[in-house]
Amino acid sequence: MPAGPSARAGAACARLGLGVDLDRPFTALSGGEAARASLAAVLLVRADLLLLDEPTNDLDGHGLRTLEDFVAGYAGSVVVVSHDRAFLDRTVTRIAEVEPRSHAIVEWAGGWSDYARQRDEARDRAYAQLAEAEARRRELTALLSRRRTEARGQGGGLGERTGGADRRGTNALRTKVRQTARLLERNPLPEKPYEPWELRLALRSTGRLPTPVASLTRVVVERGTFRLGPVDLELMPGERLALTGANGAGKTTLLQALLGERELAAGTRHLGRGVVTGVIGQTRSGYDRAEPLLEVFVARAGLLPEDARTLLAKFGLGASHVGRACASLSPGERTRAHLAELQARGVNLLVLDEPTNHLDVEAIEQLELALAEWDGALVVVSHDRRFLEAVQPTRELALAAR
Ligand SMILES: Nc1ncnc2c1ncn2[C@@H]1O[C@H](COP(=O)(O)OP(=O)(O)OP(=O)(O)O)[C@@H](O)[C@H]1O
Ligand SMILES: [Mg+2]
């Protein structure tokens, strides 16, 4: 007898290790649990073509591996939009890039690393061709001006009666001038290789950090049937703490407890004097509002509207974005607004929950560079393997799965 729909749904969820009650509302799931539920729905579909939009967001290692195996072994075709470099390396065979200048599609063979290499080589070649063309034009320009001077010199004698040999010489020189001018025309400079708009993220830490920066003592947090703790945690100045654990292990809950955003069922929380926190929450809720972006940003970042506009523009949020309701921005745009805010505000404790979700690779790499130089304290949750390597945590706190 074929399995009924709920049995199939149960099997798909089990395959993904989604052990939650299937009647639970979506809003009561952790980010990764919700992502796994969406993935379970995909596993249930028998289709020839799969379209996946940022499927790795929020998935933990096990979820990522399941997704990777599924995509790699999928008999049909898969089109995936993703900024996860490791995932792209393992799954795709061809990359179509939307060229930012022309919006044309440029195709590259292979996965992410192949793409990055080919793209860099193509850019190097384009620069080499440009340099060659510039050198050639410089030569031709110099030659042209020499020949013009020569022709003028000879032509000066033309008024006087000159012999046939002189006239022939002058004509030959003029021909050479014309030829050189034509050569110059035929050697135009190629277009400068496109340099993508670059986000420059600079994070300055402000003020000295107290010791400890923050601490949790015998903390217990409860959410429905979920219970976390008791947890003891002390964060020291200069520490870069990576909080790890499977989807649903309680990472976001623990961050919220640390930030004082969640009621404690037991234990105490302490935040040192002078600690200024900068937070990117997993749901990007700071910009999940109906008010216009500029209004919310000005209030959160403490900038004058004109300065706010200039800064947002540097993060790719221009005139067409600032007047729109925050909630109408894409998740990546909302994440960029958070990054711009961190740059503006001057904080000394960064708390980042899956910060690379939704960001494009340029922005992720900027964040990596900015964090490499960050000298304040840092607590980060991320399932992005390359990102975590780049951030170089000084300590890891692993939350056991339930
Ligand atoms: N409103 C809620 N009611 C009941 N349980 C909840 C609710 N919100 C979250 N939970 C549960 O609390 C647990 C911890 O959630 P949390 O969001 O802290 O996990 P996480 O480690 O951040 O997971 P992820 O990697 O998916 O982001 C999960 O098992 C989740 O199902
Ligand atoms: Mg979480």
Side-chain angles (χ1 to χ4, degrees):
M1 209 175 83
S6 60
R8 280 185 63 217
C13 289
R15 184 171 157 199
L16 286 166
L18 184 64
V20 298
D21 162 17
L22 291 184
D23 292 325
R24 176 115 59 97
F26 230 73
T27 46
L29 299 176
S30 75
E33 287 167 345
R36 279 163 188 253
S38 306
L39 193 53
V42 170
L43 294 182
L44 287 169
V45 173
R46 296 186 184 109
D48 299 320
L49 171 63
L50 272 187
L51 303 178
L52 306 174
D53 193 353
E54 301 281 8
T56 62
N57 279 354
D58 296 310
L59 286 179
D60 62 16
H62 170 264
L64 275 172
R65 276 191 300 281
T66 312
L67 176 67
E68 281 171 4
D69 292 347
F70 173 69
V71 171
Y74 193 68
S77 306
V78 182
V79 179
V80 59
V81 177
S82 174
H83 294 114
D84 185 321
R85 294 156 289 183
F87 174 73
L88 288 175
D89 263 345
R90 280 170 218 220
T91 49
V92 305
T93 51
R94 189 148 62 102
I95 289 189
E97 178 189 24
V98 183
E99 217 261 323
R101 181 160 45 184
S102 59
H103 292 175
I105 303 281
V106 189
E107 295 216 13
W108 309 86
W112 175 266
S113 300
D114 300 315
Y115 155 74
R117 184 178 36 76
Q118 294 175 74
R119 180 201 54 190
D120 291 350
E121 283 169 5
R123 188 176 302 154
D124 290 349
R125 267 199 309 278
Y127 271 114
Q129 276 162 7
L130 180 66
E132 236 170 66
E134 278 170 347
R136 174 99 180 111
R137 279 186 69 86
R138 262 197 309 278
E139 258 170 42
L140 287 171
T141 312
L143 185 63
L144 183 61
S145 99
R146 263 200 322 276
R147 287 191 166 158
R148 276 191 175 137
T149 314
E150 271 176 57
R152 267 199 300 275
Q154 283 256 340
L158 270 181
E160 299 148 27
R161 297 192 150 260
T162 47
D166 277 352
R167 203 168 308 123
R168 271 196 300 282
T170 308
N171 283 341
L173 262 176
R174 284 184 177 159
T175 308
K176 277 185 181 168
V177 168
R178 271 199 304 279
Q179 280 170 345
T180 317
R182 219 172 301 135
L183 257 181
L184 198 58
E185 250 170 55
R186 284 197 205 127
N187 279 278
L189 272 189
E191 222 176 318
K192 236 182 139 177
Y194 179 70
E195 283 299 342
W197 163 83
E198 269 204 16
L199 172 67
R200 287 259 165 262
L201 175 65
L203 299 173
R204 308 160 281 116
S205 69
T206 174
R208 263 172 61 91
L209 279 164
T211 305
V213 178
S215 62
L216 296 176
T217 312
R218 311 298 299 157
V219 158
V220 176
V221 192
E222 288 171 350
R223 303 182 79 180
T225 55
F226 176 79
R227 186 184 156 86
L228 177 75
V231 178
D232 285 300
L233 172 65
E234 253 190 357
L235 186 69
M236 297 301 176
E239 243 190 336
R240 305 154 82 82
L241 174 68
L243 209 52
T244 59
N247 290 141
K251 303 177 295 294
T252 298
T253 305
L254 187 62
L255 292 185
Q256 290 168 338
L258 193 70
L259 293 166
E261 293 173 358
R262 207 154 269 292
E263 205 181 312
L264 308 184
T268 54
R269 157 194 180 262
H270 165 80
L271 196 65
R273 270 171 81 100
V275 176
V276 188
T277 51
V279 184
I280 300 185
Q282 192 171 7
T283 58
R284 315 297 193 247
S285 55
Y287 290 89
D288 196 4
R289 313 251 305 264
E291 291 84 8
L293 170 63
L294 188 64
E295 193 180 300
V296 176
F297 187 79
V298 161
R300 291 178 61 98
L303 291 181
L304 292 170
E306 270 329 291
D307 297 336
R309 275 177 194 276
T310 310
L311 183 62
L312 284 170
K314 288 187 184 152
F315 284 76
L317 300 166
S320 60
H321 298 95
V322 292
R324 275 168 50 197
C326 290
S328 78
L329 299 174
S330 76
E333 289 166 341
R334 271 183 286 173
T335 312
R336 281 170 177 262
H338 270 290
L339 290 178
E341 184 189 315
L342 292 184
Q343 176 157 321
R345 273 188 43 220
V347 298
N348 52 21
L349 166 60
L350 282 176
V351 177
L352 310 178
D353 196 351
E354 301 282 5
T356 62
N357 278 0
H358 309 294
L359 282 181
D360 56 38
V361 175
E362 279 81 26
I364 293 176
E365 287 174 351
Q366 275 299 308
L367 181 58
E368 288 172 353
L369 289 174
L371 290 179
E373 291 182 5
W374 172 249
D375 59 356
L378 170 72
V379 184
V380 63
V381 174
S382 177
H383 290 118
D384 182 323
R385 296 154 283 192
R386 302 247 167 117
F387 177 74
L388 268 189
E389 276 165 31
V391 166
Q392 299 196 338
T394 55
R395 183 153 66 110
E396 180 185 330
L397 178 65
L399 294 185
R402 287 189 297 163

